[in-house]
Structures are given as structure tokens and as C-alpha cells.
Amino acid sequence: MKRLLLFFIVSFTIINAKGQFVTFEWQPNGSMLTKNGESSQVVSFPEKTKEKLYQELLVSASSIYNNPQKTISYVENKLISINAVQPIIWNVGGLLGAVEVNFHYVLKMHIKDGKIKVDAPYFSLLTFSTGASQPNIPEWVKAQKFFKSDGTYSTKKGKQEFCLSVNEEFNALINQILKMQAEDEDW
């Protein structure tokens, strides 16, 4: 009976770990945090060694980027750091129509036996399809009035949609890496 109970507990934990998702939200200061205001999230992978997690995570991240040698750096079995650019379309309206906002970001994943700590993406620069750039992200977010004074998204001129797109794009990227799908052997 104890073995059966242990089997169900372990099975539930493994299923739960596979279904976990990292969720960060864009903030009025231009950073990303969890709903609880944390700058990182830990995802459990029971019974996986840090070496195995590191290898799977590195392969997963490398499969996403065109030039992983220039995008990904690491400390073997401890840390994977991704330095890349994520374009997000902002439907400004008017004469500009849609503007591509390129978020230059750093994403760090710390690895230990059975778990990965994902730091919220850190934005270092914004560049735009118009040719402009913005190193002061908090100032730009404030000037564009993406957020109301209470910290919720503005509903004017596609601003809420843009904010939600920032959340969706980065969360999807992180979760795609964390899925660590085994390579397809049928190629």
C-alpha cells in the first residue's frame, strides 16, 4: 500500500513539474516580475541531476537561436545565459501604423539538482524599426504611457495589446526552452 501511495505521489509530482509554466509580467518600470513581485521563478524537475538538466536545457536553448555560439554563454552544469533580441510589434496607429520594438534582453537560468531558477528577462536596450534606440527603458515606458497610475495597462491606442504581447512573447520563449523536448529521432 505504501508503494502504491508513493507511486501516485511521485507520478503527480512529475506530471505537475512537466506542466509548470514560468510567468512573468511587464511592469511600469520596464522590468518583468512574477505576479508576486519576484524577479525569478524556480521550476522543479524531480530526479534529474544538474548535469542532465544542463545538457537538456543547453540543447533546447541552442535549437531556438540561429547563432547559439554568439547568443548563449554558460558555466557548465550551473548557469545558462542568453543574450538576444526579441521583436514585438506595436500597432501605434496613425501615420506610423505598426512599429517593431526590438527588446535586447538577457535571460539567465541557474541549474541545481532537480530544479532550474529562471531570472526574469533583463532588458538592456530597445531599438525600433524606425531606426531609433532607447537605452533608458523605464523612461520610455513612462513617456509612452503604457500603464495607468494604478499600474494596470492603458487601453489607449493598442497599448494594452502591446503590453500583453511583451508578456506572451517572453513567457512563450522561456517555456519553450524549459520544455526541453527530446530531439526527434525520425529525421
Side-chain angles (χ1 to χ4, degrees):
M1 187 67 166
K2 283 185 180 182
R3 283 187 178 185
L4 186 60
L5 180 61
L6 181 61
F7 172 77
F8 282 115
I9 291 172
V10 170
S11 296
F12 177 76
T13 304
I14 290 170
I15 290 167
N16 208 19
K18 296 261 185 219
Q20 283 183 325
F21 290 101
V22 172
T23 305
F24 293 105
E25 293 181 357
W26 202 31
Q27 304 294 310
N29 67 0
S31 69
M32 292 192 88
L33 297 172
T34 66
K35 289 182 189 236
N36 297 331
E38 302 287 326
S39 61
S40 65
Q41 243 179 313
V42 176
V43 182
S44 295
F45 293 91
E47 300 185 24
K48 282 197 179 188
T49 66
K50 65 182 176 182
E51 293 82 10
K52 182 73 172 164
L53 283 172
Y54 167 78
Q55 290 170 355
E56 290 179 4
L57 198 59
L58 187 58
V59 168
S60 181
S62 295
S63 70
I64 292 173
Y65 297 96
N66 292 335
N67 195 346
Q69 297 85 356
K70 290 188 176 185
T71 305
I72 300 171
S73 59
Y74 52 85
V75 176
E76 194 168 335
N77 298 325
K78 292 185 180 192
L79 171 73
I80 294 175
S81 179
I82 300 167
N83 191 339
V85 179
Q86 179 68 38
I88 300 176
I89 301 298
W90 176 23
N91 290 313
V92 179
L95 293 175
L96 283 177
V99 174
E100 185 176 271
V101 181
N102 297 300
F103 284 76
H104 297 246
Y105 67 92
V106 176
L107 177 63
K108 292 185 179 182
M109 298 183 177
H110 307 266
I111 305 158
K112 288 187 176 183
D113 284 335
K115 57 187 167 182
I116 298 171
K117 181 180 86 162
V118 181
D119 290 345
Y122 169 76
F123 303 132
S124 57
L125 177 69
L126 297 176
T127 56
F128 306 90
S129 57
T130 60
S133 66
Q134 178 58 262
N136 190 335
I137 297 165
E139 180 181 287
W140 181 77
V141 172
K142 185 177 179 181
Q144 297 304 319
K145 299 181 181 174
F146 285 110
F147 294 86
K148 298 177 188 174
S149 59
D150 65 358
T152 59
Y153 302 128
S154 172
T155 55
K156 296 181 182 176
K157 291 187 184 177
K159 293 181 182 188
Q160 180 176 17
E161 291 81 6
F162 179 72
C163 294
L164 293 173
S165 291
V166 172
N167 295 343
E168 289 169 12
E169 291 288 331
F170 281 98
N171 288 323
L173 172 70
I174 294 166
N175 289 312
Q176 182 180 358
I177 294 169
L178 288 174
K179 282 183 184 177
M180 299 182 292
Q181 298 292 329
E183 290 187 52
D184 186 6
E185 297 297 326
D186 296 331
W187 49 275

